[in-house]
Amino acid sequence: MFAKRLETGSLRHSSSVYGKSREGIPLTVWLPEDGTPEILILAAIHGDEPETTVVVSDALRAIDKGGLKNAAILCGNPDGLLRGTRGNAIGVDLNRNLPTSNWSPEPVLYKSTRKGPQDIKLSPGAEPASEPETRALLSLVDEMKPRAVVSLHGALACIDDEGGSKLGQWIAERTGLPLEEVGYPTPGSFGSWAREHDLTLVTYELEAASLYDLKERHTPVLIELLTGAMEIGE
Ligand SMILES: [Zn+2]
């Protein structure tokens, strides 16, 4: 199941391009050799959370080709990641751009420091699913039909699982992170969309820590998620 340590420096799994970013960067999903993935792991839908890409990549690279059972997107927002911005190339918060009943055209506010106010404005898009990254993600989910999505973020240090799934509970137990809600409304988020489509979505918020510390704590858990070692539940 595990790749030889010497060979974990690069990604060797199959991949597929599921769309393009606004700036034309391919959106890539990493896939098992065979079988249907039950879980889709999504990192860096917010471009200023690159630690999520690093930990998921670290886990993917530790698994050999035959051991991978689930799917992973290492970066849902490559334009944002390259710019170091939460939003995409035109400043849309992709995790507020999904077509949900609570989507609102009002700007969304976020905070950029741990204790600072939530006072930085981003757009939720001109309309629901206005962004190519959002539309591509929805098509992928529609095609793949995963039983659950695990969406990685930073750095609120909690597992948010409104549906109270076995998977959310399992991640909380394995990581030691508390099972709680992020604490503010998130209209147009992937979590809201998933609830409206009966899809289990667990928001996995990493803590604020160095990449070395994050890898130590989360790579083993992500390896288990990617190799299908846990029970998803209903
Ligand atoms: Zn985030």
Side-chain angles (χ1 to χ4, degrees), residues 44-49 52 86 93 95-96 151-156 184 203-205:
I45 192 73
H46 286 142
D48 60 352
E49 295 163 3
T52 60
R86 179 176 170 96
D93 185 335
N95 202 35
R96 300 292 181 274
S151 181
L152 275 93
H153 291 265
L156 300 175
Y184 48 83
T203 299
Y204 185 161
E205 285 270 358

Short mmCIF file of all heavy atoms in Angstrom, two decimals, residues 44-49 52 86 93 95-96 151-156 184 203-205, ligand 1:
data_model
loop_
_atom_site.label_atom_id
_atom_site.label_comp_id
_atom_site.label_asym_id
_atom_site.label_seq_id
_atom_site.Cartn_x
_atom_site.Cartn_y
_atom_site.Cartn_z
N ALA A 44 -7.35 23.48 -1.05
CA ALA A 44 -7.07 24.83 -1.60
C ALA A 44 -8.14 25.36 -2.55
O ALA A 44 -7.83 25.88 -3.61
CB ALA A 44 -5.69 24.85 -2.26
N ILE A 45 -9.38 25.28 -2.12
CA ILE A 45 -10.42 26.02 -2.84
C ILE A 45 -10.24 27.51 -2.49
O ILE A 45 -10.63 28.40 -3.23
CB ILE A 45 -11.85 25.50 -2.49
CG1 ILE A 45 -12.92 26.04 -3.44
CG2 ILE A 45 -12.23 25.81 -1.05
CD1 ILE A 45 -12.91 25.47 -4.81
N HIS A 46 -9.59 27.74 -1.34
CA HIS A 46 -9.12 29.07 -0.98
C HIS A 46 -7.62 29.13 -1.26
O HIS A 46 -6.85 28.34 -0.69
CB HIS A 46 -9.41 29.36 0.50
CG HIS A 46 -10.86 29.63 0.77
ND1 HIS A 46 -11.51 29.20 1.91
CD2 HIS A 46 -11.78 30.29 0.02
CE1 HIS A 46 -12.78 29.60 1.84
NE2 HIS A 46 -12.97 30.25 0.71
N GLY A 47 -7.22 30.06 -2.14
CA GLY A 47 -5.83 30.09 -2.60
C GLY A 47 -4.83 30.49 -1.53
O GLY A 47 -3.62 30.29 -1.71
N ASP A 48 -5.30 31.04 -0.42
CA ASP A 48 -4.37 31.43 0.65
C ASP A 48 -4.27 30.34 1.72
O ASP A 48 -3.85 30.61 2.84
CB ASP A 48 -4.76 32.79 1.26
CG ASP A 48 -6.15 32.79 1.88
OD1 ASP A 48 -6.89 31.78 1.71
OD2 ASP A 48 -6.50 33.79 2.53
N GLU A 49 -4.65 29.13 1.35
CA GLU A 49 -4.52 28.00 2.29
C GLU A 49 -3.68 26.89 1.65
O GLU A 49 -4.10 25.74 1.52
CB GLU A 49 -5.93 27.51 2.68
CG GLU A 49 -6.71 28.57 3.46
CD GLU A 49 -8.21 28.34 3.55
OE1 GLU A 49 -8.70 27.31 3.05
OE2 GLU A 49 -8.89 29.21 4.11
N THR A 52 -3.00 23.19 2.81
CA THR A 52 -3.91 22.07 2.54
C THR A 52 -3.41 21.26 1.34
O THR A 52 -3.47 20.04 1.33
CB THR A 52 -5.36 22.58 2.28
OG1 THR A 52 -5.38 23.45 1.14
CG2 THR A 52 -5.90 23.34 3.48
N ARG A 86 -7.17 34.48 -1.31
CA ARG A 86 -8.27 33.57 -0.97
C ARG A 86 -9.16 33.34 -2.21
O ARG A 86 -9.54 32.22 -2.52
CB ARG A 86 -9.10 34.20 0.16
CG ARG A 86 -10.29 33.38 0.60
CD ARG A 86 -10.95 34.08 1.79
NE ARG A 86 -12.22 33.53 2.17
CZ ARG A 86 -12.41 32.62 3.14
NH1 ARG A 86 -11.38 32.16 3.81
NH2 ARG A 86 -13.61 32.19 3.44
N ASP A 93 -14.65 34.60 -4.11
CA ASP A 93 -14.49 33.52 -3.14
C ASP A 93 -15.25 32.30 -3.68
O ASP A 93 -16.48 32.27 -3.67
CB ASP A 93 -15.04 33.95 -1.78
CG ASP A 93 -14.80 32.91 -0.68
OD1 ASP A 93 -14.66 31.71 -1.02
OD2 ASP A 93 -14.77 33.29 0.50
N ASN A 95 -15.69 29.44 -2.60
CA ASN A 95 -16.51 28.71 -1.63
C ASN A 95 -17.74 29.51 -1.19
O ASN A 95 -18.37 29.19 -0.19
CB ASN A 95 -15.67 28.30 -0.42
CG ASN A 95 -16.28 27.12 0.34
OD1 ASN A 95 -16.86 26.22 -0.28
ND2 ASN A 95 -16.17 27.12 1.66
N ARG A 96 -18.06 30.57 -1.95
CA ARG A 96 -19.33 31.29 -1.76
C ARG A 96 -20.03 31.43 -3.11
O ARG A 96 -20.96 32.19 -3.26
CB ARG A 96 -19.08 32.70 -1.19
CG ARG A 96 -18.39 32.73 0.14
CD ARG A 96 -19.23 32.18 1.29
NE ARG A 96 -18.52 32.27 2.55
CZ ARG A 96 -17.67 31.35 3.01
NH1 ARG A 96 -17.43 30.25 2.32
NH2 ARG A 96 -17.06 31.52 4.16
N SER A 151 -13.47 18.59 2.51
CA SER A 151 -12.94 19.85 2.00
C SER A 151 -11.98 20.43 3.03
O SER A 151 -12.36 20.73 4.15
CB SER A 151 -14.13 20.79 1.75
OG SER A 151 -13.68 22.01 1.25
N LEU A 152 -10.71 20.57 2.61
CA LEU A 152 -9.70 21.05 3.55
C LEU A 152 -9.56 22.57 3.51
O LEU A 152 -9.57 23.18 2.43
CB LEU A 152 -8.33 20.42 3.25
CG LEU A 152 -8.16 19.06 3.92
CD1 LEU A 152 -8.57 17.96 2.99
CD2 LEU A 152 -6.76 18.87 4.43
N HIS A 153 -9.44 23.13 4.70
CA HIS A 153 -9.23 24.57 4.87
C HIS A 153 -8.24 24.81 5.99
O HIS A 153 -7.84 23.88 6.70
CB HIS A 153 -10.56 25.26 5.22
CG HIS A 153 -11.55 25.28 4.10
ND1 HIS A 153 -11.69 26.35 3.25
CD2 HIS A 153 -12.45 24.35 3.68
CE1 HIS A 153 -12.64 26.08 2.36
NE2 HIS A 153 -13.11 24.87 2.59
N GLY A 154 -7.87 26.08 6.17
CA GLY A 154 -7.08 26.47 7.32
C GLY A 154 -7.58 27.82 7.80
O GLY A 154 -8.17 28.55 7.02
N ALA A 155 -7.36 28.21 8.98
CA ALA A 155 -6.67 27.46 10.01
C ALA A 155 -7.50 27.50 11.29
O ALA A 155 -7.03 27.90 12.33
CB ALA A 155 -5.30 28.07 10.24
N LEU A 156 -8.77 27.09 11.17
CA LEU A 156 -9.68 27.22 12.32
C LEU A 156 -9.61 26.04 13.28
O LEU A 156 -10.26 26.04 14.32
CB LEU A 156 -11.13 27.42 11.83
CG LEU A 156 -11.37 28.65 10.95
CD1 LEU A 156 -12.81 28.67 10.45
CD2 LEU A 156 -11.08 29.93 11.73
N TYR A 184 -19.81 30.97 11.63
CA TYR A 184 -20.41 32.11 10.92
C TYR A 184 -21.13 31.58 9.69
O TYR A 184 -20.80 30.50 9.19
CB TYR A 184 -19.37 33.18 10.56
CG TYR A 184 -18.12 32.64 9.90
CD1 TYR A 184 -18.08 32.38 8.53
CD2 TYR A 184 -16.97 32.41 10.64
CE1 TYR A 184 -16.94 31.89 7.93
CE2 TYR A 184 -15.81 31.91 10.04
CZ TYR A 184 -15.81 31.66 8.69
OH TYR A 184 -14.68 31.17 8.09
N THR A 203 -15.99 19.51 6.50
CA THR A 203 -14.98 20.57 6.39
C THR A 203 -13.89 20.29 7.41
O THR A 203 -14.15 20.21 8.60
CB THR A 203 -15.62 21.96 6.62
OG1 THR A 203 -16.62 22.16 5.62
CG2 THR A 203 -14.58 23.05 6.53
N TYR A 204 -12.70 20.12 6.88
CA TYR A 204 -11.54 19.70 7.68
C TYR A 204 -10.63 20.92 7.79
O TYR A 204 -9.90 21.23 6.86
CB TYR A 204 -10.89 18.54 6.93
CG TYR A 204 -9.71 17.79 7.53
CD1 TYR A 204 -9.41 16.52 7.05
CD2 TYR A 204 -8.89 18.32 8.51
CE1 TYR A 204 -8.32 15.80 7.53
CE2 TYR A 204 -7.81 17.60 9.01
CZ TYR A 204 -7.53 16.34 8.52
OH TYR A 204 -6.45 15.63 8.99
N GLU A 205 -10.73 21.62 8.91
CA GLU A 205 -9.97 22.86 9.11
C GLU A 205 -8.68 22.55 9.86
O GLU A 205 -8.69 22.21 11.04
CB GLU A 205 -10.80 23.85 9.95
CG GLU A 205 -11.93 24.53 9.21
CD GLU A 205 -11.51 25.84 8.53
OE1 GLU A 205 -10.33 26.25 8.67
OE2 GLU A 205 -12.37 26.43 7.87
ZN ZN B 1 -10.83 28.19 3.53
#
